[in-house]
Amino acid sequence: MELAYRDITYCKNVGAKRADILRKELSVTTALDLLRQYPYKYIDRSRFYKIAELDDEDTYVQIVGEVTEWHTIGIGKAQRLSATFFDGTHQCELVWFQGVKYVKLQRGVKYLLFGKPSRFQHIYNFVHPELTPWDKVTPEMTQGLEPYYNTTEAMKRHGLNSKAMRTIIAELLPELKMGVPDTIGADILQRYRLMSLTDAMINVHFPKDTLSMQNARARLKFEELFYVQLQILRQMKRREQNPGFTMPIVGSRFHALYKALPFELTGAQKRVIHEIHDDLKSGHQMNRLLQGDVGSGKTLVALMCCLLAVDNGYQTCIMAPTEILANQHYETLKAFLKPLGDAVHVALLTGSTSAKNRVPIHNGLMNGTIHILVGTHALLEDKVQWNNLGFVVIDEQHRFGVAQRAKLWTKNRRVAGDGHAMPDVPPHILVMTATPIPRTLAMTVYGDLHVSIIDELPPGRKPIQTIHYNLNRRAQVYAFMRKQIDEGRQVYVVYPLIKENEKMDLLDLQNGFNELCEAFPEYKISMVHGQMKAADKDLQMQRFVSGETQILVATTVIEVGVNVPNATVMMIQNAERFGLSQLHQLRGRVGRGGSQSYCVLLTDNEISSDTRKRMNIMVETNDGFRIAEADLQLRGPGDLEGTQQSGTPFDLHIANLATDGRLVALARQAAKDILDVDPLLEDEKNRIYKNQLDTLRIKQAYNWGEIS
Ligand code: ADP
Ligand code: MG
């Protein structure tokens, strides 16, 4: 029977019990699924070591020698067996804690020792090594690369360790060699010089040499990424067909604001507004990601686009992740719109809007008199109903969950004159992020959104100077802070706050606050953190914004969007505990006025070379994209700011978005070439892709099509 249809229960060395475990632990149900469990590493078994060659870094090694002496210590469960192994010149120690009675040792016999050495004082020891009498060593055992498979505790309890997995998979080899149907067409295999699926599977499990193993893995990675891209791009093509509100007019409010601006828009801002306006005219729903470094002027772009929609008779909203930000956007918008008088009606709705104040807002939304609603998650409440919501801005979108965004679709409970519900047309969606995302990652995480980039800062900004100090330079840093404050500037002091460590971190924050109060008795200091009541937090923030306090001590709650142009120093405590993109975000809180600004990174006196590298990147560059790229390389995609909350949408088993960037680009191109000609995969020659997509059933939970 074909491998794809054979139940694992009937694979050799499996059986009902183990099949059950494999299904539960790895979601493996067929022989082909088993073959899709790729090794996570390989150990070179063609190399033999001498004990004298070992160093602490060694992982697994094999050594030929004899057991010269052994003894057991303790009794019963606590019994352990210790033996001395001699390779002709040097000795090492072998130890068994478990299954001692099964270990049969013989003097004067040549053994192959295989295991992972660790050094204790001057002697290397191996815990639970494999020890095989030399006459039982088969050529396969010491040939080439030995694959290692992921296993779980439950699997191990049923004897399904890496070695057992290898044995089970090895049994499938003869059949595998007869060939499995490929999942990628011959033309693509040829164009991108990829192995067939059959060859790739053989070589990923039983590699002849390193090169064929690498080629096999490249092919399998490409395949995985190709199907992710095919899925994303097909979604995008489908959605490009969604109907959308048509907003062709560039109207009076837009022009009035443009004329009233105290400065000229940057070239990048103008370009992006054009791109968005083209979408609004198109008759199809817009789904666009606006990337722009901190301070690049995204808020104004959002406002101008809202006015485009308002001039066409639609309502709009701007959703922010925190109350502080929503308040600030509201104030910013009102300031920009002041010259327009009553022409634009802006309202604010957050969790702390009182029930009494909500009534006129709900009414204003329903009867269409409110043009722009700024707010937090509160916008998503069921009570919030619109007359005709046409344009939605989501700021710092990664802070919103997927399900929350989906709610925006159902907001227009529009009823036609005759009492019939009108068809639901989704609003245009603009997602804004100040966390630049490396290109190859964006291709996957935001692969189905059109992307606009503001790659230019407003003129006249002086680049922020970044300095890295050890804790023992604190006095100097304080002196510097004092000088700035005496010149009339304000200072942020930020402490890390990690959920798992919250109590300790809050203590650090409090101590830091006390210390600063002592060091700067002549100044006023505010403090904010996530555990405070919203009202207290806002009060403290407000004191800093208005200039009443000179120093703001905070956790990362101020990370996004806060705008106090008079603040010129960002001092970050324990900078080693922040991610690079997060540091960059924090740094973006200063340098927003005309004065020279500074970012001071304080780290422990003793730091790792990794930390030093990261601090150096921050000191060297202000370019958010370069920093994001470095962050991706250093931390991998899972931890990357901007993808954490939403999670990387696709489970990748073999490809790695941090290191396989080139393959991501190739796979996307290959998928695009196919869909450009045959967007719905209806062509007979593309049936292979359509079928495979259906079988893969790539996590449908992630379904941007219905979200943004
Ligand atoms: P972002 O949200 O992208 O981090 P903001 O929208 O907060 O940036 O803009 C930062 C500051 O720059 C704000 O004070 C804003 O008024 C100002 N600004 C925006 N566009 C321009 C421009 N074209 N020229 C000068 N200043 C600008
Ligand atoms: Mg902003």
Side-chain angles (χ1 to χ4, degrees):
M1 205 194 321
E2 239 186 89
L3 291 166
Y5 300 106
R6 167 122 46 88
D7 189 323
I8 37 162
T9 315
Y10 309 112
C11 290
K12 202 158 174 212
N13 296 320
V14 180
K17 185 88 209 158
R18 283 179 162 190
D20 217 34
I21 300 287
L22 286 170
R23 268 190 294 268
K24 278 206 193 95
E25 298 293 309
L26 303 176
S27 309
V28 162
T29 58
T30 68
L32 189 66
D33 293 342
L34 255 179
L35 290 167
R36 289 283 191 187
Q37 300 294 310
Y38 310 126
Y40 67 94
K41 71 168 180 189
Y42 301 84
I43 288 169
D44 187 352
R45 301 247 8 201
S46 62
R47 169 150 189 215
F48 292 89
Y49 282 76
K50 284 294 195 181
I51 293 169
E53 289 177 280
L54 299 182
D55 68 57
D56 288 324
E57 305 293 314
D58 277 339
T59 51
Y60 285 83
V61 297
Q62 56 190 355
I63 306 169
V64 180
E66 294 176 24
V67 179
T68 52
E69 182 275 333
W70 61 90
H71 56 272
T72 52
I73 307 160
I75 46 162
K77 277 220 156 86
Q79 197 179 43
R80 67 179 226 183
L81 170 63
S82 170
T84 304
F85 189 85
F86 180 63
D87 73 355
T89 45
H90 289 81
Q91 295 186 341
C92 62
E93 195 191 7
L94 315 180
V95 186
W96 286 266
F97 298 101
Q98 283 156 14
V100 168
K101 61 181 174 201
Y102 301 112
V103 184
K104 300 274 177 270
L105 298 175
Q106 273 184 291
R107 237 178 288 272
V109 168
K110 190 173 162 189
Y111 283 106
L112 177 67
L113 164 69
F114 178 73
K116 195 174 178 174
S118 59
R119 192 163 67 171
F120 183 67
Q121 286 163 355
H122 292 295
I123 183 130
Y124 279 99
N125 57 73
F126 290 77
V127 177
H128 291 171
E130 273 177 49
L131 207 56
T132 317
W134 189 251
D135 58 7
K136 298 255 166 54
V137 173
T138 59
E140 292 85 60
M141 278 174 67
T142 60
Q143 229 172 38
L145 301 170
E146 185 169 272
Y148 278 75
Y149 295 89
N150 279 315
T151 56
T152 64
E153 284 309 313
M155 287 170 66
K156 283 191 199 131
R157 277 199 297 278
H158 291 83
L160 283 169
N161 55 16
S162 174
K163 202 170 173 185
M165 290 292 283
R166 202 157 71 220
T167 313
I168 295 169
I169 289 171
E171 290 292 343
L172 298 170
L173 185 59
E175 254 173 298
L176 178 57
K177 281 185 170 156
M178 283 153 49
V180 289
D182 213 305
T183 50
I184 293 184
D187 51 339
I188 293 185
L189 292 183
Q190 211 166 23
R191 184 162 350 129
Y192 295 96
R193 292 167 208 269
L194 300 168
M195 273 187 190
S196 69
L197 181 58
T198 305
D199 284 346
M201 287 227 180
I202 293 171
N203 281 292
V204 81
H205 293 294
F206 314 99
K208 266 202 307 290
D209 50 37
T210 307
L211 186 65
S212 51
M213 179 268 284
Q214 284 167 345
N215 285 337
R217 294 182 75 84
R219 137 81 208 211
L220 296 168
K221 287 174 177 187
F222 180 94
E223 173 185 330
E224 185 168 61
L225 295 167
F226 170 77
Y227 276 102
V228 166
Q229 290 301 330
L230 208 55
Q231 169 95 344
I232 291 174
L233 291 171
R234 190 168 65 157
Q235 195 87 274
M236 186 170 173
K237 293 252 179 218
R238 270 202 207 131
R239 214 177 36 192
E240 280 171 0
Q241 304 310 312
N242 271 355
F245 299 117
T246 312
M247 308 182 182
I249 301 165
V250 182
S252 59
R253 294 178 184 88
F254 181 91
H255 282 304
L257 175 61
Y258 187 71
K259 281 208 202 85
L261 285 178
F263 43 69
E264 182 69 11
L265 292 178
T266 62
Q269 283 173 317
K270 285 183 188 164
R271 174 171 45 75
V272 165
I273 292 172
H274 272 294
E275 286 168 1
I276 294 170
H277 188 225
D278 283 343
D279 287 351
L280 299 185
K281 283 189 292 198
S282 74
H284 295 290
Q285 187 211 7
M286 174 180 83
N287 282 278
R288 193 168 275 280
L289 173 70
L290 176 57
Q291 285 200 58
D293 217 334
V294 279
S296 61
K298 293 186 294 295
T299 313
L300 180 57
V301 168
L303 171 60
M304 303 226 38
C305 294
C306 284
L307 292 192
L308 282 176
V310 173
D311 278 334
N312 282 276
Y314 292 92
Q315 293 172 295
T316 65
C317 69
I318 300 181
M319 232 180 359
T322 65
E323 271 192 34
I324 293 177
L325 279 179
N327 281 320
Q328 192 180 288
H329 277 324
Y330 178 67
E331 295 302 330
T332 306
L333 261 53
K334 280 210 311 199
F336 273 128
L337 291 171
K338 202 157 189 191
L340 278 68
D342 290 339
V344 183
H345 186 180
V346 188
L348 174 71
L349 180 69
T350 68
S352 44
T353 308
S354 69
K356 192 173 123 242
N357 288 338
R358 277 172 197 241
V359 177
I361 294 177
H362 288 161
N363 290 338
L365 293 174
M366 222 112 76
N367 64 26
T369 49
I370 293 179
H371 298 123
I372 304 177
L373 180 64
V374 180
T376 54
H377 297 65
L379 298 193
L380 300 172
E381 287 165 12
D382 292 335
K383 280 214 179 106
V384 178
Q385 296 289 323
W386 299 73
N387 181 45
N388 59 349
L389 177 64
F391 185 85
V392 171
V393 180
I394 304 177
D395 194 14
E396 310 296 348
Q397 72 89 32
H398 60 272
R399 310 244 155 177
F400 283 104
V402 160
Q404 291 172 322
R405 271 173 288 156
K407 277 193 148 188
L408 287 169
W409 279 76
T410 55
K411 282 290 176 187
N412 285 341
R413 294 265 174 270
R414 297 187 310 148
V415 178
D418 61 0
H420 281 93
M422 312 240 293
D424 248 348
V425 175
H428 297 294
I429 304 229
L430 181 68
V431 164
M432 301 202 295
T433 172
T435 310
I437 299 152
R439 217 172 68 88
T440 54
L441 191 60
M443 280 181 190
T444 308
V445 181
Y446 297 110
D448 63 337
L449 300 182
H450 295 278
V451 178
S452 288
I453 298 180
I454 306 186
D455 50 5
E456 184 185 352
L457 293 181
R461 299 255 173 90
K462 298 189 183 72
I464 301 162
Q465 276 183 34
T466 302
I467 313 143
H468 170 211
Y469 279 138
N470 291 339
L471 276 182
N472 56 18
R473 307 273 293 271
R474 193 183 289 274
Q476 250 164 303
V477 176
Y478 281 179
F480 175 69
M481 281 168 63
R482 177 164 285 117
K483 191 160 160 285
Q484 288 283 312
I485 298 174
D486 286 343
E487 284 173 21
R489 313 270 170 255
Q490 288 165 284
V491 176
Y492 293 102
V493 180
V494 175
Y495 283 80
L497 193 139
I498 312 290
K499 277 250 153 49
E500 298 82 71
N501 208 357
E502 207 164 295
K503 278 221 177 83
M504 280 293 289
D505 282 347
L506 282 174
L507 201 67
D508 281 355
L509 181 78
Q510 187 65 51
N511 289 339
F513 176 74
N514 295 343
E515 195 184 311
L516 285 165
C517 288
E518 254 168 58
F520 298 98
E522 67 275 41
Y523 302 133
K524 294 213 180 82
I525 306 181
S526 351
M527 174 163 77
V528 294
H529 58 78
Q531 298 290 295
M532 287 163 76
K533 283 205 206 87
D536 295 342
K537 206 159 57 183
D538 285 355
L539 178 74
Q540 292 300 321
M541 263 326 282
Q542 215 41 57
R543 291 176 69 208
F544 187 68
V545 172
S546 68
E548 184 192 333
T549 58
Q550 291 80 40
I551 302 177
L552 176 69
V553 181
T555 55
T556 48
V557 289
I558 59 152
E559 182 186 332
V560 279
V562 171
N563 193 21
V564 180
N566 190 48
T568 55
V569 180
M570 167 60 65
M571 178 166 132
I572 304 174
Q573 299 276 351
N574 291 103
E576 69 273 18
R577 287 177 52 193
F578 292 88
L580 286 183
S581 296
Q582 216 178 3
L583 290 175
H584 183 60
Q585 274 289 320
L586 288 168
R587 178 165 63 183
R589 297 307 107 215
V590 297
R592 302 174 82 84
S595 320
Q596 176 63 55
S597 291
Y598 306 88
C599 174
V600 180
L601 305 170
L602 275 178
T603 61
D604 251 341
N605 296 327
E606 304 278 326
I607 53 172
S608 66
S609 67
D610 184 62
T611 299
R612 185 164 303 283
K613 244 189 252 162
R614 298 184 326 117
M615 295 305 124
N616 285 343
I617 293 168
M618 291 303 298
V619 170
E620 275 162 25
T621 183
N622 272 308
D623 178 341
F625 279 95
R626 262 194 67 195
I627 289 169
E629 190 64 55
D631 214 12
L632 177 64
Q633 298 306 328
L634 287 168
R635 294 206 297 170
D639 286 331
L640 211 70
E641 195 71 8
T643 64
Q644 252 160 349
Q645 277 84 354
S646 53
T648 347
F650 297 100
D651 271 341
L652 296 175
H653 296 292
I654 185 163
N656 176 331
L657 293 178
T659 49
D660 297 324
R662 204 181 66 92
L663 284 173
V664 174
L666 293 179
R668 187 170 172 92
Q669 189 57 51
K672 194 170 172 303
D673 288 345
I674 292 171
L675 291 170
D676 278 348
V677 182
D678 181 16
L680 299 177
L681 299 177
E682 290 165 327
D683 214 324
E684 183 53 36
K685 79 174 181 5
N686 290 328
R687 172 178 294 253
I688 168 176
Y689 303 124
K690 194 166 195 230
N691 290 347
Q692 183 66 8
L693 275 183
D694 291 343
T695 36
L696 281 177
R697 273 179 266 118
I698 293 174
K699 271 185 145 180
Q700 289 298 338
Y702 168 80
N703 194 342
W704 288 95
E706 314 298 324
I707 302 156
S708 51

